[in-house]
Amino acid sequence: MNMRRFREAVAAGEFLITAEVAPPKGADPSGMLAHAELLRSRVHAINITDGSRAVMRMSALAATALLRQQGIEPICQFACRDRNRIALQADLLGAQALGLDNILALTGDPVKAGDSPEARAVFELESVRLLQLIQKLNSGLDIHEKSLPDGASDLFVGAAVDPQLKSWSGLERRFWRKVDAGAQFFQSQLICDFDRLDRFMEQIARPSGRPVLAGIFLLKSAKNAEFINRNVPGVQIPQTIIDRLAAAADPLAEGIAIAAEQVRWAQQLCQGVHLMAVRREDLIPAILDQAGIAPLQPSSDRQSSTLLMS
Ligand SMILES: NC(=O)C1=CN([C@@H]2O[C@H](COP(=O)(O)OP(=O)(O)OC[C@H]3O[C@@H](n4cnc5c(N)ncnc54)[C@H](O)[C@@H]3O)[C@@H](O)[C@H]2O)C=CC1
Ligand SMILES: Nc1nc(=O)c2c([nH]1)NC[C@@H]1CN(c3ccc(C(=O)N[C@@H](CCC(=O)O)C(=O)O)cc3)CN21
């Protein structure tokens, strides 16, 4: 089973498709695995959240290991909130040993956003320093530049970016710091302003040569959009979209139509999409169908067709 399909697709310049799935809130992974199974032929990788919104769930490391066991390529989110440098390095090396070599390096949401506001937050590193740490592990050094006697990692690491950030100069500076620290791909924050994405791609991202996946969220209703505006740090769904959902006879169908439109815009502007459909991951194939994106060719078929052609 090819578990380097995502990085191969990045290298080949394919239009990249990932989907976000949260680990279970409990010890039984069967629901998560069933959702992931529905997406197998539609995405290059499944991106597993790590303490998203500071809400307690199963560890991303365990959840991605389970996906990989099932033959589905994961991207493991790594947030800096809950682990100091010893624990981050330990888990990164463990991820590599388990074959979980796609990583998304994040700072992480503040604990006050979640279900344990009294928890102690660590944040010893933030996303750029986490990327720098991974760069060191990949070159056979630990965070203190001591050599790793049992070998370097080969982690394929990406970072988040919010093209709608108010400070353009802050956005540009932070994006380039992430590129310099080894980010191989970028996943955008949930995006609604595609003019802004266009400008970000033209003026900031394109010169870096790093692919950007637009973060596209299936809004299930106007209420869902309002929940996000209240509870997801850094996200603001515009009133025009909330009104469109509120006016729709079938808000879920309207949400699918909006997401499919956004996928089409992303095809014009950037190198991929990161699809989020919280608790309705089963609808991601419908979004891709409406956007005119066919299932992916299995990577083994692609290899054999290349062989036939040569
Ligand atoms: N110096 C400056 O100009 C800037 C400073 N900052 C500060 O740095 C801190 C952390 O920023 P970063 O390390 O850049 O954050 P980060 O690397 O974790 O995320 C980058 C952006 O993506 C968004 N994001 C978070 N989780 C995401 C996910 N799962 N998928 C997609 N997007 C996601 C965030 O809202 C953020 O705007 C913040 O406290 C912020 O105040 C942030 C941006 C610019
Ligand atoms: N700062 C930040 N943290 C994140 O965890 C995060 C982002 N940004 N941006 C990208 C995605 C979007 N995320 C989201 C967005 C919406 C819901 C949401 O609406 N969840 C449920 C409600 C669940 C509940 O009731 O607790 C839903 O009904 O859709 C969850 C995670 C997670 N990701």
Side-chain angles (χ1 to χ4, degrees):
M1 187 59 70
N2 181 6
M3 285 288 154
R4 293 167 73 90
R5 186 178 189 179
F6 180 66
R7 71 167 89 183
E8 287 169 6
V10 168
E14 283 179 48
F15 189 74
L16 305 166
I17 307 173
T18 62
E20 184 160 301
V21 173
K25 197 163 175 71
D28 177 3
S30 55
M32 173 193 77
L33 293 172
H35 273 137
E37 199 55 54
L38 298 172
L39 305 175
R40 183 192 280 277
S41 67
R42 307 303 303 253
V43 300
H44 291 101
I46 293 205
N47 187 305
I48 298 289
T49 55
D50 174 20
S52 161
R53 300 199 293 114
V55 172
M56 186 284 294
R57 286 175 179 275
M58 183 188 286
S59 76
L61 206 56
T64 48
L66 288 161
L67 274 184
R68 193 181 189 281
Q69 268 175 22
Q70 197 162 300
I72 297 177
E73 181 168 336
I75 299 173
C76 188
Q77 297 194 3
F78 257 78
C80 299
R81 185 192 55 237
D82 304 332
R83 285 169 288 200
N84 65 15
R85 66 183 72 188
I86 302 172
L88 283 170
Q89 292 177 97
D91 283 351
L92 286 162
L93 294 174
Q96 177 71 74
L98 290 165
L100 307 170
D101 42 14
N102 298 320
I103 303 291
L104 184 77
L106 295 169
T107 296
D109 289 324
V111 293
K112 64 172 167 23
D115 62 359
S116 305
E118 70 290 350
R120 183 178 299 178
V122 181
F123 290 123
E124 187 179 291
L125 310 186
E126 41 62 55
S127 58
V128 172
R129 290 183 65 207
L130 176 58
L131 287 162
Q132 290 166 344
L133 160 61
I134 295 168
Q135 213 170 26
K136 285 186 186 158
L137 298 178
N138 278 351
S139 64
L141 301 172
D142 73 10
I143 197 171
H144 305 296
E145 312 220 328
K146 294 219 176 74
S147 106
L148 296 166
D150 295 317
S153 59
D154 179 23
L155 297 166
F156 189 69
V157 60
V161 65
D162 182 4
Q164 293 184 212
L165 202 72
K166 288 208 173 61
S167 161
W168 189 259
S169 60
L171 171 62
E172 183 166 40
R173 190 169 57 240
R174 211 141 168 90
F175 177 84
W176 278 100
R177 289 196 67 205
K178 291 175 184 181
V179 172
D180 292 343
Q184 299 296 321
F185 66 95
F186 284 86
Q187 165 177 321
S188 96
Q189 179 57 286
L190 195 168
I191 188 143
C192 296
D193 182 347
F194 284 76
D195 291 332
R196 181 80 178 197
L197 177 64
D198 190 13
R199 196 174 141 219
F200 167 74
M201 289 307 304
E202 286 307 318
Q203 296 181 15
I204 299 180
R206 210 176 302 286
S208 75
R210 299 296 185 278
V212 173
L213 289 82
I216 293 174
F217 190 93
L218 171 63
L219 294 164
K220 292 170 285 189
S221 62
K223 223 174 115 217
N224 185 203
E226 283 157 356
F227 171 90
I228 289 173
N229 285 349
R230 277 196 312 275
N231 294 292
V232 184
V235 181
Q236 201 59 43
I237 315 281
Q239 194 59 40
T240 47
I241 290 186
I242 299 179
D243 292 344
R244 194 171 151 187
L245 290 161
D250 180 348
L252 187 57
E254 190 67 13
I256 294 172
I258 293 170
E261 267 171 34
Q262 294 177 332
V263 171
R264 285 217 196 81
W265 288 331
Q267 285 180 296
Q268 307 300 313
L269 299 175
C270 60
Q271 291 75 30
V273 285
H274 171 65
L275 298 167
M276 296 164 276
V278 177
R279 289 188 292 156
R280 289 313 304 264
E281 289 85 357
D282 57 305
L283 294 175
I284 286 178
I287 296 170
L288 291 167
D289 288 344
Q290 264 194 45
I293 296 185
L296 301 173
Q297 247 191 318
S299 52
S300 51
D301 291 6
R302 207 171 42 207
Q303 271 164 11
S304 52
S305 63
T306 315
L307 285 175
L308 285 174
M309 277 157 53
S310 59

